[in-house]
Amino acid sequence: MKSIQSLSTGTRLAAVFLLLLALSALSTGVVVSRLAAVSASLRQIERERLPLIQRLGDMSDQVNAVGRGLRNALIFEDETRIAAALVDTGRQTREIAATMESLKHQPALENGAADIARLSRSFSDYVPLQQRFVALLKDRHREEAGALLVGELRAAQLKTMADLDALKDRQTALISAAAEAGEEGYLNARGLLIALCAAMLVGAAVVGSQRIRRDLAPGTGEAVARLSA
């Protein structure tokens, strides 16, 4: 096998050029892969994480609305208004339960199983207290219902809200982390692309300078032929 030194200048230049092309293809593949990862992360934020945060925010609003509805039902004197408030709080509580069940199958909730389980337990502890409050109010035991509301029921509601906020905060932190990782990936890909362009320019300059020196060498190349014409 011929050694590198024994190869002609043109062959060596061609080998260098082919090496640059191979490095260019490899580097381009790495850049495209990193940009694809950044794009996938951004799509997940837009399609899954942000809607999830919105759902959790809606749940917080509903839990607060249920609390206000129960207080209103205790305060109202008119039976029609009391009944309407209880119907509305019952409907919202069922919607909260349905949303919570759907969260267990939410793909964006990685590492959130413990948070969901904790929230589910809190809500499960809260629902029977709300049902007891409604039963007391319907039986006209207003004082007992009021004591339950400001005592156990309120404490259970606050525990549910705290667990819901913890889940929401964790998901918000995941969005921030994904955004930072995406920005870092983009900057790395951009830096690699710039380095690739610089390497290509340097390589082209080296190849070009080698070709010029070869052509201007004494007794060789087209330049000598032109000078002797």
Side-chain angles (χ1 to χ4, degrees), residues 5-222:
Q5 289 78 10
S6 64
L7 295 176
S8 65
T9 302
T11 302
R12 280 183 286 177
L13 292 177
V16 171
F17 184 70
L18 290 176
L19 178 61
L20 287 175
L21 287 179
L23 291 176
S24 173
L26 178 61
S27 301
T28 301
V30 173
V31 170
V32 170
S33 175
R34 291 188 179 181
L35 289 178
V38 171
S39 179
S41 178
L42 292 177
R43 284 197 302 271
Q44 185 184 44
I45 290 176
E46 179 183 1
R47 297 176 183 177
E48 296 181 10
R49 297 193 185 281
L50 289 179
L52 174 60
I53 293 296
Q54 182 61 51
R55 291 174 68 189
L56 295 176
D58 292 342
M59 285 181 66
S60 296
D61 293 340
Q62 284 184 308
V63 172
N64 283 322
V66 168
R68 288 194 302 270
L70 295 179
R71 289 193 296 273
N72 290 338
L74 183 64
I75 295 170
F76 291 154
E77 297 291 340
D78 182 74
E79 294 294 334
T80 302
R81 297 181 69 187
I82 293 174
L86 294 180
V87 168
D88 186 60
T89 55
R91 174 186 59 79
Q92 295 200 68
T93 301
R94 290 190 296 272
E95 290 177 357
I96 294 170
T99 302
M100 195 169 300
E101 183 64 27
S102 70
L103 289 178
K104 298 177 182 178
H105 311 288
Q106 172 61 243
L109 273 174
E110 70 268 22
N111 302 322
D115 293 330
I116 285 291
R118 190 180 304 110
L119 175 60
S120 181
R121 286 193 299 269
S122 298
F123 188 70
S124 296
D125 292 340
Y126 166 81
V127 171
L129 295 173
Q130 179 178 329
Q131 293 172 341
R132 203 167 102 201
F133 171 86
V134 171
L136 288 171
L137 203 57
K138 287 182 176 179
D139 291 339
R140 302 180 185 279
H141 299 305
R142 299 178 70 87
E143 291 186 3
E144 292 181 43
L148 178 64
L149 179 64
V150 299
E152 296 178 75
L153 187 56
R154 178 60 176 166
Q157 183 190 31
L158 291 176
K159 179 65 168 60
T160 300
M161 284 295 299
D163 291 339
L164 183 57
D165 288 341
L167 175 60
K168 186 166 56 177
D169 291 343
R170 184 184 295 274
Q171 296 307 308
T172 301
L174 286 175
I175 289 179
S176 299
E180 291 176 1
E183 181 180 7
E184 182 180 358
Y186 167 75
L187 293 176
N188 290 338
R190 187 181 68 177
L192 183 59
L193 187 59
I194 293 174
L196 170 62
C197 292
M200 290 293 293
L201 290 174
V202 171
V206 170
V207 171
S209 63
Q210 291 290 331
R211 180 61 182 268
I212 291 172
R213 281 198 296 269
R214 188 194 70 175
D215 290 344
L216 293 180
T220 64
E222 298 178 1

